[in-house]
Structure formats: C-alpha cells, structure tokens
Amino acid sequence: MADDSEYGTQNFTCYDCKKQYCHDCVEEDDDDAYCMSSMCNNCNKRYCLNCCREGHCTSCDHWYCLDCIDMTRCFQCEDNTCLNCVSEIRCDNNDCVDDNIWCYDCVESGNVTICCDGCDGIYCSDCSDSYVHAAKYCNACDDFRCGECRVTKCMEGSDCTGCYQLAFPSLLEDRERTQNENEDLEKEINDLRRKVKDLSGEIEEV
C-alpha cells in the first residue's frame, strides 16, 4: 500500500444508492467535484453524482439537499437562492407580481427597490418605471418620492418643476379613480331608490 493512502473510517457513502467511494474519488478542490456532491449544509448528507438532488445557493454559497430545503429563484439575478437568503422586502404596489422575490445580495446592491423619502414606501424597479404612484427619482431636487408624497410636496408649495411633472400623472389617475368611484356610488344609490320604490308599492297594495 502506498505511503499516501488514506486510513480510518471514511464517510463517503451515497445516502440514496448506498454506494461507497474512496477518499481519492471524492476529494474536492476549488475547481472540481469528482464522484460525490457537496455535503448538505443542513443534514450533512451526500449523494453520488448519479443520485445527486442538491441545490446550490449562490447567495450564501451553501449546498442543500432538496429534502431539507426548497430552493427558489431570485427575480432579479435569476440565481438559485435558499429560503434563508430570500429577502423579506416586498413591493408596496398591490398589483405587483406576487412572485417578485429577491435575494439579499440583489437588495443590498440597491438596484432592485426604490424607497420613498417621504413615507418609506418600497417599490420594485419595474413598478417604479410603470406605476404612476410608485416612488420615482426627481433629477431636479434629487429625491425619491411616491406619487402621494410627491403631490403632498407640491401642495405644500414646492417650486420644483420636476416634482410637478412627476406629480401630474398621479393626480390625473387619482381624479379618474375618484370619478369612477362616484359613478359606481351613484348607480348603487339609484338601485337602492328603485328597490325602495318597489317595496313601497308592494306595501300600499297590502
């Protein structure tokens, strides 16, 4: 036996097919993984490459077997992310895509969400581009504000032209929404009046 042979108990058994591997076939370095997968960071199980069912979290750089933890995909970088590395931050736009989840790395980069300087509301970058009430950046006064806070700032006497340009679409949509709500309310009132009139007629007949 060669002098550099490995002695002692070796824990290189595939948890699924139960095949065993020697140290030389399993040993890993920074560039290569040979006959077995990395050890699960949660349960310490390993699998041969034929039975491998592990996911690699690119955020924490840990491997997990799929029996221990579900992997998800970051909406921004599209890398696999373990649930421990999923940010709890969500977009405040109620109509935003429900599966918009981000890893901590993307959130900390500052390219995923925009925070309103007025109310601390958080909006994803997609909603900031398309949703008139989301927080947007004003080049003129160098601040981020959502539509409501931008309108409030203008109403308080701001002389920033950029803010007025950003506030106008929000005001216009608010006006249209209020108008639609008033029309719906008027229809409901008219329906109630008709019902009351019909009931009054039935009472008179009795």
Side-chain angles (χ1 to χ4, degrees):
M1 183 175 290
D3 294 337
D4 58 353
S5 299
E6 299 290 334
Y7 295 91
T9 302
Q10 298 183 15
N11 187 26
F12 302 130
T13 303
C14 174
Y15 187 79
D16 196 359
C17 68
K18 310 305 180 187
K19 291 181 180 179
Q20 296 181 341
Y21 296 87
C22 67
H23 180 275
D24 290 339
C25 290
V26 172
E27 184 180 6
E28 299 176 357
D29 57 33
D30 293 337
D31 299 320
D32 299 301
Y34 297 103
C35 292
M36 298 195 75
S37 66
S38 296
M39 184 177 293
C40 173
N41 195 65
N42 186 60
C43 66
N44 295 331
K45 297 174 184 175
R46 302 185 78 161
Y47 299 89
C48 69
L49 297 187
N50 292 328
C51 300
C52 181
R53 50 187 180 188
E54 286 188 316
H56 177 228
C57 175
T58 57
S59 186
C60 64
D61 200 29
H62 287 157
W63 289 84
Y64 295 95
C65 66
L66 301 185
D67 292 337
C68 281
I69 193 169
D70 292 328
M71 302 294 287
T72 186
R73 188 177 296 274
C74 173
F75 188 81
Q76 181 72 11
C77 65
E78 299 184 350
D79 286 343
N80 288 329
T81 306
C82 71
L83 298 183
N84 295 328
C85 293
V86 172
S87 170
E88 297 179 357
I89 291 178
R90 293 293 181 269
C91 180
D92 284 340
N93 178 13
N94 293 330
D95 295 327
C96 186
V97 181
D98 291 336
D99 59 355
N100 269 11
I101 57 176
W102 304 284
C103 65
Y104 283 115
D105 290 343
C106 286
V107 171
E108 291 175 357
S109 71
N111 297 323
V112 171
T113 58
I114 297 175
C115 181
C116 174
D117 293 335
C119 65
D120 294 330
I122 296 175
Y123 298 89
C124 69
S125 55
D126 288 342
C127 286
S128 180
D129 293 334
S130 59
Y131 181 50
V132 296
H133 297 292
K136 300 179 185 297
Y137 178 68
C138 177
N139 291 315
C141 62
D142 191 30
D143 76 345
F144 292 93
R145 289 184 185 270
C146 66
E148 183 177 353
C149 290
R150 187 79 62 188
V151 170
T152 300
K153 180 179 179 180
C154 293
M155 296 289 287
E156 291 175 348
S158 171
D159 58 355
C160 176
T161 303
C163 283
Y164 278 101
Q165 291 175 342
L166 291 171
F168 179 75
S170 182
L171 273 172
L172 185 62
E173 184 166 299
D174 284 342
R175 180 182 177 182
E176 292 177 352
R177 184 177 67 250
T178 301
Q179 189 174 15
N180 291 333
E181 289 175 352
N182 289 339
E183 290 176 356
D184 292 340
L185 183 59
E186 186 175 355
K187 291 178 181 178
E188 291 179 5
I189 292 174
N190 290 334
D191 289 340
L192 287 173
R193 284 175 178 171
R194 282 193 295 269
K195 291 180 180 179
V196 170
K197 184 177 180 179
D198 293 340
L199 288 173
S200 298
E202 293 177 1
I203 293 175
E204 289 178 359
E205 292 178 358
V206 173

